[in-house]
Amino acid sequence: MRLDVVTIFPEYLDPLDVSLVGKARASGRLDVQVHDLRGWTHDRHNTVDDTPYGGGPGMVMKTGPWGEALDEVLADGYETGARGPVLVVPTPSGRPFTQELAVELSGRPWLIFAPARYEGIDRRVVEEYATRIPVVEVSIGDYVLAGGEAAVLVITEAVARLLPGVLGNAESHRDDSFAPGAMADLLEGPVYTKPPEWRGRGIPGVLLSGHHGRIARWRRDEAFRRTALNRPDLIERCDPAVFDKKDRETLSILGWSPEPGGRFWRRPDGVEE
Ligand code: 6GU
């Protein structure tokens, strides 16, 4: 996969040399090129922003440098269709970044990231490139960052670990929390390793039992518990057909009840754990 990032802070992307993404680059599975947007300015101050039409606070990134930068990146290996690039524009007003979108992007051969600083990029830039290639505006969560570079790091790591050969074990992301078809979209439960006792704390006995059926059951119950506590929205949107008898018991203990349609809702008097 090829990744281009156009930014006014190239050094912000230095972490792409480290860890999983760094190894994917070193092994040739990922070709990352970071470009300095100011390289496409022509004035003494390398200006990339200007005041917003209509007034208001902050600055807006100018069309000129972005247009020249994206034209040049695109011209270097331009293809259309499934082999062509996708322009990814990180913005808090974009489509939520999910595992589903990560899987979608991991199937494309070439991503071009356009992270903005200031109040964003002049709208005409997105409109112009959307006539040529797929453009996806992406938000990584309901909070506001000072710029899109951290989002590029997040999206790149989520996508890179899905590429063939990047994770050591092909099974490793089969039961990721949020992987399509994962244990009914539950969060993963707790994990333990040696030593068997640490500062007086032991390991849940079932994990030492060697009884695979009971271990799977325990893991599922723990996943339910954690999901019900931290992400009740995931339980509420679950198709109740995926819950077995023991799941229903666990949910009931945690304060959830089935409504007539079958979906589960948290009882107002629910037991806190
Ligand atoms: Cl992608 N960019 C910025 N600036 N803030 C964000 C974001 C992106 N996603 C959530 N907040």
Side-chain angles (χ1 to χ4, degrees), residues 89-93 116 118 138-149 151-152 155:
V89 183
T91 163
S93 45
Y118 316 115
V138 182
S139 163
I140 62 163
D142 293 341
Y143 41 78
V144 179
L145 303 170
E149 284 78 5
V152 173
I155 296 166

Side-chain angles (χ1 to χ4, degrees), residues 75-211:
D76 173 27
Y78 189 76
E79 294 191 62
T80 51
R83 302 245 13 109
V86 174
L87 180 62
V88 181
V89 183
T91 163
S93 45
R95 163 178 167 191
F97 186 61
T98 60
Q99 189 65 23
E100 187 183 5
L101 184 51
V103 168
E104 210 174 300
L105 293 177
S106 73
R108 303 289 306 211
W110 184 7
L111 306 178
I112 302 173
F113 288 98
R117 288 269 144 179
Y118 316 115
E119 298 300 309
I121 304 173
D122 187 306
R123 189 67 204 165
R124 292 169 293 180
V125 174
V126 161
E127 287 172 3
E128 165 72 11
Y129 289 94
T131 69
R132 302 199 216 164
I133 59 174
V135 175
V136 52
E137 294 178 276
V138 182
S139 163
I140 62 163
D142 293 341
Y143 41 78
V144 179
L145 303 170
E149 284 78 5
V152 173
L153 296 177
V154 167
I155 296 166
T156 298
E157 185 159 320
V159 168
R161 65 186 286 284
L162 296 173
L163 298 177
V166 168
L167 278 193
N169 175 357
E171 297 277 281
S172 301
H173 44 69
R174 189 198 50 207
D175 45 54
D176 291 345
S177 293
F178 305 112
M183 213 154 49
D185 290 326
L186 299 177
L187 305 183
E188 285 175 46
V191 294
Y192 302 86
T193 187
K194 292 169 279 299
E197 189 169 314
W198 180 73
R199 300 189 181 176
R201 296 165 187 276
I203 306 292
V206 62
L207 297 180
L208 308 171
S209 70
H211 195 299

Side-chain angles (χ1 to χ4, degrees), residues 4 15 31 46 50 80 85 126 141 177 229 233 259 266:
D4 288 274
D31 169 18
N46 303 118
D50 206 337
T80 51
V126 161
S177 293
L229 281 175
D233 58 305
E259 66 161 16
R266 187 133 163 72

Side-chain angles (χ1 to χ4, degrees), residues 199-252:
R199 300 189 181 176
R201 296 165 187 276
I203 306 292
V206 62
L207 297 180
L208 308 171
S209 70
H211 195 299
H212 299 304
R214 275 186 221 146
I215 291 170
R217 181 74 252 174
W218 180 86
R219 286 189 169 144
R220 186 171 172 103
D221 295 345
E222 289 300 311
F224 262 96
R225 181 196 308 282
R226 211 181 253 203
T227 309
L229 281 175
N230 293 339
R231 293 295 305 277
D233 58 305
L234 295 181
I235 303 275
E236 282 166 7
R237 88 158 95 108
C238 247
D239 176 356
V242 305
F243 299 146
D244 62 24
K245 187 150 168 284
K246 182 71 196 303
D247 295 339
R248 287 159 200 279
E249 279 170 30
T250 304
L251 285 176
S252 173

